[in-house]
Amino acid sequence: MNKLIRFIQMVGLSTLFILSGCNSDNKTTTNTLTSNTNPVTDTASTLTSDNKQDVQVGIRPYFLIDDMQDSDLKTSLEECKDGPFYKTDFSIGHRGAAMQYPEHTKESYIAAARMGAGIVECDVTFTQDKELVCRHSQCDLHTTTNILAIPELAAKCSVPFTPADPVNGIAATAKCCTSDITVEEFLTLQGKMDGANPNATTVEEYLQGTPNWRTDLYSSSGTLMTHAQSIELFKSLNVKMTPELKSPAVTMPFDGFSQQQYAQKMLDEYVNAQVPASDVFPQSFNLEDVKYWINNAPDFAAQSVYLDGRYDQAGFDPQNQATWQPSMHELVADGVKIIAPPLWMLVTLGSDNEMVPSAYAVAAKEAGLDIITWTLERSGTLKNGGGWYYQSVKDITDNDGDAFELLDVLAKEVGVIGVFSDWPGTVSYYASCKGFDKSK
């Protein structure tokens, strides 16, 4: 019986992969930007508007559970192998389903919704003509798209491709920004898995930089999207939305476009699309952006998210509140209601060498802040400590199943309200198994 169940789960994931790319080929995809543009394909429309939709967590959660050390948690997760699995706001698609699909593409977003993500992210930046588009960084086109393979657009990059010089130990370089090109040009690009080969001596070699724990199997087509297009797609998928206002790589104001206008335009596109503010979680690492929304967009204030990047500050220690400026209570006094640090800031090791909430996590909850965290399933294999996202518990991180151990502590002991994941099926499995609320 167990073999039959695993086979069914495998078929489910394969169906996810096939459906997410069924309207695509390996040619560059061109979108026409018109007032009635609708990037939603038949694939998206197969997701129904209620929680009876076909959520497919796939085989990865089962792999992680099998890899866990014997424990009550492992036993309880095994007991949920037959589901049912459902869409939940606890599961947030980080750039879609970026572990195996090109990030911030239509295909990646659809895959995240298939896996039960109740909230999906579009990182928001702008083009030369000040149109909002979905990219993780304003200047990542050289690693996340095929722009360098299109001579007329590569010529517009801020820093053109320069091959590696292995004799002198010089890495290959390039820098291509959304602000280098128009939105029309942006939509002719094809998304690819994020990565670049620093040893490349040709453009073709440079574009072949996908980390070995990801895959290019599903990157034959990556349909880029404007922010407005992502909103329409998310509406059709019946998911909530978490746009992140990215820090500009250009000096602001940009051609008269101020930071405040940028922050406001992002929200205006939800208003224009008639999306309820309750379905939107605007986020930014820039506290001033969050304060702007709190003070100027009251409908969106309750769900504005402060992405906490203070770990980059000298002396920052999640176990020492004297190093957090502003304090948790000061953030609350400014109107912040949701804070979002990386995984490792919320946990530490207890006296018995087990994962426990950090002083940061305890202080945030005591101050009345809700917590969202990032990013599960973004570390590759965990057998050697898990890397950056697991740094505070690296001494006990030694197998891929520890992703569930961490998730359980975050959910039960820290009390986070949502977890960003590069493979949302893992979080959806856990949330469905533990009876978390279904998305509404």
Side-chain angles (χ1 to χ4, degrees), residues 125 137-143 158 175-180 249-250:
T125 187
S137 167
Q138 189 164 44
C139 294
D140 70 4
L141 296 182
H142 53 290
T143 65
S158 295
K175 181 181 178 182
C176 303
C177 308
T178 58
S179 51
D180 292 334
V250 294

Side-chain angles (χ1 to χ4, degrees), residues 189-200:
L189 300 177
Q190 179 175 310
K192 73 176 193 69
M193 296 300 288
D194 186 17
N197 178 4
N199 300 314

Side-chain angles (χ1 to χ4, degrees), residues 173-367:
T173 57
K175 181 181 178 182
C176 303
C177 308
T178 58
S179 51
D180 292 334
I181 58 177
T182 67
V183 67
E184 183 177 3
E185 292 168 330
F186 172 85
L187 289 172
T188 67
L189 300 177
Q190 179 175 310
K192 73 176 193 69
M193 296 300 288
D194 186 17
N197 178 4
N199 300 314
T201 57
T202 67
V203 166
E204 291 75 16
E205 291 176 348
Y206 186 79
L207 294 176
Q208 302 302 313
T210 301
N212 61 12
W213 51 273
R214 292 181 178 156
T215 180
D216 284 314
L217 285 175
Y218 311 108
S219 57
S220 58
S221 64
T223 308
L224 270 59
M225 309 193 81
T226 68
H227 177 236
Q229 287 175 338
S230 78
I231 293 172
E232 293 305 315
L233 177 64
F234 295 163
K235 286 168 64 177
S236 77
L237 296 172
N238 193 33
V239 296
K240 297 183 178 68
M241 312 169 196
T242 183
E244 180 189 335
L245 195 76
K246 301 304 297 187
S247 298
V250 294
T251 302
M252 300 294 277
F254 175 74
D255 190 25
F257 191 46
S258 71
Q259 183 69 25
Q260 292 75 23
Q261 289 172 320
Y262 177 32
Q264 185 62 51
K265 182 170 183 174
M266 188 181 84
L267 296 189
D268 287 344
E269 294 198 343
Y270 291 96
V271 174
N272 294 339
Q274 299 182 321
V275 176
S278 58
D279 285 351
V280 184
F281 294 79
Q283 48 175 339
S284 179
F285 279 99
N286 182 354
L287 184 57
E288 293 306 310
D289 292 337
V290 179
K291 289 181 180 179
Y292 174 84
W293 295 325
I294 291 169
N295 296 324
N296 296 278
D299 289 347
F300 292 89
Q303 295 186 163
S304 294
V305 181
Y306 172 42
L307 294 164
D308 196 347
R310 291 178 290 175
Y311 49 79
D312 276 340
Q313 295 178 1
F316 176 87
D317 180 358
Q319 292 297 102
N320 181 1
Q321 61 181 331
T323 68
W324 320 331
Q325 299 299 327
S327 70
M328 299 297 183
H329 287 286
E330 288 171 332
L331 289 173
V332 171
D334 284 334
V336 175
K337 291 182 168 47
I338 306 175
I339 195 167
L343 302 171
W344 65 269
M345 282 171 52
L346 294 172
V347 291
T348 189
L349 294 180
S351 57
D352 294 327
N353 221 30
E354 79 281 21
M355 294 184 197
V356 297
S358 66
Y360 175 104
V362 172
K365 296 299 289 187
E366 288 180 346

Side-chain angles (χ1 to χ4, degrees), residues 147-165:
I147 189 170
L148 291 176
I150 305 173
E152 61 271 24
L153 296 184
K156 299 185 177 185
C157 290
S158 295
V159 177
F161 170 73
T162 301
D165 180 356

